Amino acid sequence: MRVRKAVFPAAGWGTRFLPATKAQPKEMLPLVDKPVIQYAVEEAVAAGIEQVIIVTSSQKRAIEDHFDTNYELEHLLEERGEIELLRQMRHITDLAQIAYVRQKEQLGLGHAVLMAKELVGHEPFAVILSDDVVVGEQPCIGQLIHAYAQTHSSVVAVMEVPNEETSRYGVIGGQRVDGGDGRLWKVDQLVEKPAPGYSPSNLAIIGRYVLTPKIFDKLERTTHGAGGEIQLTDAIQALMEEQAVYGYEFDGTRYDAGTTMGWLKASVELALARPDLGEEFGAYLRGLDF
């Protein structure tokens, strides 16, 4: 069955970016001139996703407004003859079929995914964490969807990280699958934030998943962990007892826009890559006196 739907958990408080996120969602913080979540939605659409399911909370109305039509703004731009800006605004509205579901309690990533169960139904689906901005020639989630089509199993995106940083991530252990492009791993361990020296590898999971609908059964049975949260990694571990799970070393550059430093790096590098901004911005940076 083809992967048609993607779930975007977006109900968190964004405390790392306070006070900027006191009155606006962290997903709406701009990277250059687009909000973080728009990069992720565009990635999904480029990979063939047809329905976007955004899990929000009561403080996230700005996300819904961003992807909705603003008739007054469009009329103003049309009157002024700003056709390119008008095209960009309509592009946002027309990106995909978008549905919203509320996560009334902040009970972790696994709980956020579980909130989308009724909208996903009985089919494989993607999960995209917009904090992880991935730039490459091919959409990151599209690479995972291709791996799913080969394996008919759940697939998580992984990347190599320095050994001293494995304690910040969920880390997989497993065997590389022969053949193909050499990027696929059969997972036999999944350790959340392993202590130094206890990591099964240096392949860390980042915020891209393609999951079979069986994950919902596991999420419903997953006990609350630290902080009363339901962890997605715990449910994936339980899933591994019944179904194969794979890791895929995606091709692309990942920015952790969920941290201040990662957001700053992403802003600078994305601006430098822009044809309309890169040359002037690069000259400005080179002229700074550090």
Side-chain angles (χ1 to χ4, degrees), residues 1-287:
M1 187 178 290
R2 193 163 65 86
V3 179
R4 303 183 306 115
K5 300 178 181 181
V7 176
F8 291 73
W13 287 104
T15 53
R16 290 178 178 177
F17 284 97
L18 286 171
T21 51
K22 180 176 182 289
Q24 72 168 331
K26 66 174 181 176
E27 294 82 7
M28 292 301 297
L29 293 175
L31 284 175
V32 190
D33 54 8
K34 281 197 299 192
V36 170
I37 194 170
Q38 186 176 330
Y39 287 90
V41 171
E42 288 176 342
E43 176 190 328
V45 172
I49 292 295
E50 298 172 3
Q51 183 176 10
V52 167
I53 302 165
I54 302 179
V55 183
T56 65
S57 64
S58 59
Q59 308 301 315
K60 302 296 181 106
R61 181 60 187 269
I63 297 175
E64 299 181 31
D65 289 343
H66 179 70
F67 291 106
D68 199 358
T69 301
N70 186 326
Y71 294 105
E72 293 82 1
L73 176 60
E74 290 188 6
H75 179 68
L76 176 66
L77 294 174
E78 192 168 14
E79 278 193 332
R80 291 180 174 179
E82 299 193 47
I83 304 304
E84 177 55 26
L85 275 177
L86 178 61
R87 185 196 65 79
Q88 291 179 33
M89 297 307 100
R90 288 178 174 168
H91 164 74
I92 295 169
T93 304
D94 297 336
L95 270 172
Q97 177 188 353
I98 300 181
Y100 299 91
V101 60
R102 285 285 179 93
Q103 184 184 18
K104 296 179 181 179
E105 297 179 89
Q106 307 303 302
L107 296 177
L109 175 58
H111 183 260
V113 173
L114 184 57
M115 292 297 96
K117 177 182 177 180
E118 297 303 319
L119 290 175
V120 169
H122 301 285
E123 58 184 282
F125 65 102
V127 175
I128 300 178
L129 308 187
S130 57
D131 283 356
D132 282 325
V133 177
V134 184
V135 178
E137 292 186 6
Q138 296 181 332
C140 179
I141 198 63
Q143 296 174 51
L144 266 65
I145 290 172
H146 180 69
Y148 169 81
Q150 293 177 309
T151 62
H152 303 288
S153 301
S154 296
V155 186
V156 300
V158 296
M159 61 179 283
E160 289 190 356
V161 299
N163 290 328
E164 61 271 18
E165 294 184 14
T166 54
S167 59
R168 296 172 47 202
Y169 299 90
V171 180
I172 68 163
Q175 296 79 40
R176 192 186 299 272
V177 176
D178 293 333
D181 57 10
R183 295 177 175 271
L184 191 65
W185 292 76
K186 176 72 177 298
V187 179
D188 57 28
Q189 293 184 72
L190 202 166
V191 183
E192 183 67 25
K193 298 181 179 179
Y198 291 90
S199 180
S201 75
N202 67 338
L203 291 173
I205 299 172
I206 65 111
R208 300 291 186 278
Y209 310 78
V210 173
L211 301 169
T212 65
K214 188 70 176 177
I215 194 69
F216 291 123
D217 295 338
K218 302 306 177 184
L219 286 168
E220 288 175 332
R221 292 172 171 78
T222 298
T223 57
H224 294 228
E229 295 188 343
I230 297 174
Q231 300 297 339
L232 182 59
T233 49
D234 291 342
I236 295 174
Q237 282 182 303
L239 183 67
M240 286 168 54
E241 297 175 5
E242 295 185 30
Q243 298 179 349
V245 174
Y246 290 85
Y248 188 81
E249 288 185 78
F250 65 92
D251 181 28
T253 301
R254 174 252 187 181
Y255 301 98
D256 183 2
T259 66
T260 304
M261 184 56 67
W263 178 82
L264 287 169
K265 290 177 180 178
S267 298
V268 170
E269 294 189 29
L270 289 171
L272 289 172
R274 283 268 295 266
D276 59 332
L277 298 173
E279 185 175 348
E280 182 179 354
F281 187 47
Y284 165 74
L285 292 176
R286 289 190 294 271

